[in-house]
Amino acid sequence: MKKSRVLAVVMAVLMMVTLLPSMVFATAVPSGTLDGKLKVKGTLAIGSTLSADYSKVKPEGITDDNVSFSWSLKDGDLLTEVGTDKTYKIDEKDLGLPIVLKITGKEETGVSGELTVTTQEVSETEEEAKALAEKKKEEAKAAGEDPDAEESEASESSENTPDTEAGTSEEPDSAQPEETIEPAEETESADVQENTDVQEPADTQEPAENSVIEVNGEQSGTQNADEADTSGDSQTETPDSADTAADASEKNEEPTYSASAYTEDGSGILDFGSVEEGYTEIPEAQMVTITNNGTGDLNFKEIAPENFMAADINDAPLKSGESVTVWVKPREGLKAGEYKDLITYQTEEGADVFFEADFTVKEPENKKAEDHENNEQTDPGETSDPAAEKIYKLTADPTELPFDDLTAGYEKVETTSTVTIKNEGTEAVTLVQPESEFFDIAPVSEVESSGNIQLAQGGEQTFTVQPKLGLSAKDDPYVEELVFASDESTEASATVTASVMVKTETPKTVTATVKPEGPLKFGTLEQGYETAPDAQPVTVENTGTEAIRIQLSAPEDYEVGEPSAEVLNPGDKAATFTVQPKTGLQVGDHSDTISVTDQNTGNTLAEVQLEFTVSEPEPEPEPNPGLSVTDSLEFGTKEEGYKELPDAKKVTVTNTGNTKIVLKQPSSNAYTIGTLSATELEAGDNATFSVQPVSGLSQGEYLEDIVIANDANVEAYVNVHFSVTKKKTDNGKKANNLTGIKKPSDIKDLPNGTQKTQKALKLPGTVKITTTKGEQKASVKWDVKGSSYDPSSAERQIFNVKGTVILPEGVKNPNKISTVIAVSITVNGYQGTEAAASDNKITGIDSNGKYDTNTKITFTAAGAGMDNTNPRKGDTRYQPKSWKITETRTWDGEPYTATFRVSKPGKYTLKVTFGQQKYDGSSWKDTGTQSESTVTFTVSQAAVLTATPSPAVTQTNQKSAVQTGDSTPIMTFVIILIVAVVCIGGILVYRRKKK
């Protein structure tokens, strides 16, 4: 006994051990290769955010943490990566292109492989995205495909807008499985039950009993009171109608529009009884139920009957199969008379519904007594003749029916008038309905097959009257007398005059103008400006005949304000909006256009031209030292042995550069040089020193350039002249008279930028003169500053420099020969740095390189001369403009780089186009010359990564097996379980036999 108990305990323990896998290893961890169908959640419109949907992805339990993301734009075979986050916000640049999402399993989390999905093209708005999805769905149906094969996705927005997974297609050359995203659909309705109710023909029903008035419907007839009661309360959906709408929607049939009205008593007439004239208490309102019997929504117009008040149906469209209950009651203060009005509810879809409302206002009793008294006083002696008391009399109310003016080409008449014919005779009559050329006349209630109506004494019949369709325009109105006669007497008739004017259709125009008419000019600012130009106003005026709904385009570089009015009716005050350039714009011409569009028609009404330029900032000036010095000093002539020195003269040295210069003290042998007043000169500062000839100089010409040395090695000197003549000893010698001056040779081919100094321009200090005593030298004082030469110009310059010859001591000029001479100087123009097209480069991609479909390639275009940061007029460069593999892409500015990935194997050529530009002295201008550089490369199919599955027993590979993410073998535990069961069974058998 003890052994059996021990054995039982052991077996129980073994059974518990076999249950450990289900308790310990039940936590599901996704593991394996990506499979199934990937979807994208979100609306494919600009501004929307997209994310991945793993509902159909295997292994189960995949989250954003198990994969990496790659969002790309697909342009033909070219994929351009635009994001790697788990979500992607659609930008304006994505418009018109499909988006490709590729997820790659993170092997460190146990997930491998890839999945790719391609969406439909990006639309500008959500409405356009939904329309495109519907279009692709219809195309799929027309092609025989099943557009509903995939489960529709629901949006997470507060408005429950369906996600647009619209019209996607798989990439045929992708190595990984891809999912086609289907357009979102509304949830399918439940089983649709066909409405098989058949209404009885009108001639099988009693007149004016249980009648239903239905206009523009697909059925006509009457309905009994029981059926009317089933219409329910206000806004109650009729199941059959709802099913019919669902059928029509499922079959994509054209919607139908019809409606019917049910009164509370089922008669189709609201009877408010009678009151005396002057009544103050209005009869209680009565209710009418209006039902949408068509398949399309009905939008009701406002209603204002003349003698009755009625509730409007304008809260929301009346859906197919729905009903709404409205109240009706007479107006206060009606005059004595009988009111039989046709209350008509009109819809924008043309499905009108109407019913009759009756109300009688009686004359007060005291007025009746007075009338009776007056009647008795008339012909008191006259006796009544029984045969003469048959009176046939018909009256019409109203007697005139003027209709609102119509416009030629009208397709329907908005207004329906009613006229009531009353039998005020003593006998019943047969009322004959008139025939009209211009008006449609119809009785409100049923008529006999002959078209005639029996009117008992005091009976009434109401008719609807409406102008016929197709009346042409003319100058005078259509006027017609409608005569309601009787068969019993020619005198018993009532005449109603109906009139309507049909005018010529006024052409409808949708136009607008903007002011100012010319472009808005915002001028030019340097790059880096912090304050934008002042905003400028623009006004829009409606010059057409129709209302316009203003929509403004938004140029990328400008801030456009909201218009002061969105809708402008003809004659309204103009709407105003403002325009202002944005800050932080790059160098270039930012001219653009604002389009003023009518949202109703989509037509562009006007355009506003915008002009704004951002220039390159003035570069920091490079060090440019410069000095200017007093031109020259003339000390005249002294005889040898002179004792009185010429007066000292002052020399001024000015720092004309942009950097500090340190001067060195000048010196001379023939002249005494004073001390510099300052040796350190900032830009614009000056210093002075004095110059005076020394004493004791012998005969001769002392023409000298006194150099002012400096640390900037700027050439600076002052030309001084002093003449010492031989002391006169013989007064009888021959006179020394000037006979001519030899003009110096012209100076040519000086380099561009030569300094404007005597020395730099190579002007000689002396010239040869001829006198009566022979040839000798004379100094020249050149007017360099007075010349037209501009050292900063890049153009070729030819100019003259005038000089004055200073005659030596003892040389006379009795013949007054001109001592002014001129030299022609030529300075060559700047030739410019010519950039070579052969220096254009494409880097980052190897020529004849080999890549696969998973490789992202980034390249850079480097144009020749683009590194010229200090250009001069005439310099050229090549700016990268665009690149192309299958489609052309352009660059707006630096950096000139791009990243792409090709999904289809093959041999491709990357072509980059460079445009030549030339510097005009202020900015770079396109010359129209272009150069192309190409790189050829090969793309091969990327290898498919396959994860090696963990060993597992056969059972775990079945579809019904629980995916726990654990690969621990459980066969050992199964064997233990079987052994335990066998042992327990053996013990039980043994105990039974023993008993």
Side-chain angles (χ1 to χ4, degrees), residues 583-700:
T583 57
L585 298 180
Q586 298 299 313
V587 172
D589 181 9
H590 295 275
S591 297
D592 213 326
T593 301
I594 296 177
S595 297
V596 182
T597 305
D598 176 29
Q599 294 185 40
N600 298 327
T601 62
N603 296 333
T604 298
L605 306 177
E607 291 184 340
V608 181
Q609 302 297 326
L610 309 174
E611 294 181 2
F612 179 52
T613 303
V614 178
S615 62
E616 292 185 354
E618 289 295 332
E620 288 292 331
E622 294 184 0
N624 184 25
L627 291 173
S628 67
V629 186
T630 303
D631 282 345
S632 62
L633 299 178
E634 177 59 47
F635 290 97
T637 304
K638 293 286 184 181
E639 282 188 355
E640 191 175 16
Y642 60 92
K643 295 190 187 243
E644 185 179 351
L645 296 175
D647 293 336
K649 294 187 177 183
K650 185 172 70 172
V651 177
T652 301
V653 182
T654 303
N655 185 350
T656 59
N658 60 5
T659 185
K660 178 181 176 180
I661 295 179
V662 179
L663 304 179
K664 296 180 181 179
Q665 178 66 35
S667 61
S668 173
N669 293 326
Y671 295 89
T672 301
I673 309 299
T675 303
L676 282 165
S677 62
T679 57
E680 295 185 0
L681 298 183
E682 299 290 344
D685 291 349
N686 59 63
T688 60
F689 63 90
S690 62
V691 178
Q692 187 179 33
V694 299
S695 61
L697 294 176
S698 59
Q699 178 189 358

Side-chain angles (χ1 to χ4, degrees), residues 453-485:
I453 300 173
Q454 295 295 326
L455 278 186
Q457 179 186 5
E460 296 177 348
Q461 177 63 48
T462 300
F463 294 87
T464 60
V465 181
Q466 197 175 43
K468 291 185 175 181
L469 297 179
L471 297 180
S472 59
K474 64 176 187 174
D475 295 335
D476 52 343
Y478 289 91
V479 180
E480 187 174 3
E481 291 187 347
L482 309 178
V483 180
F484 294 85

Side-chain angles (χ1 to χ4, degrees), residues 494-512:
T495 301
V496 178
T497 303
S499 62
V500 66
M501 184 74 184
V502 181
K503 298 180 179 179
T504 304
E505 184 176 8
T506 303
K508 295 181 179 180
T509 59
V510 180
T511 57

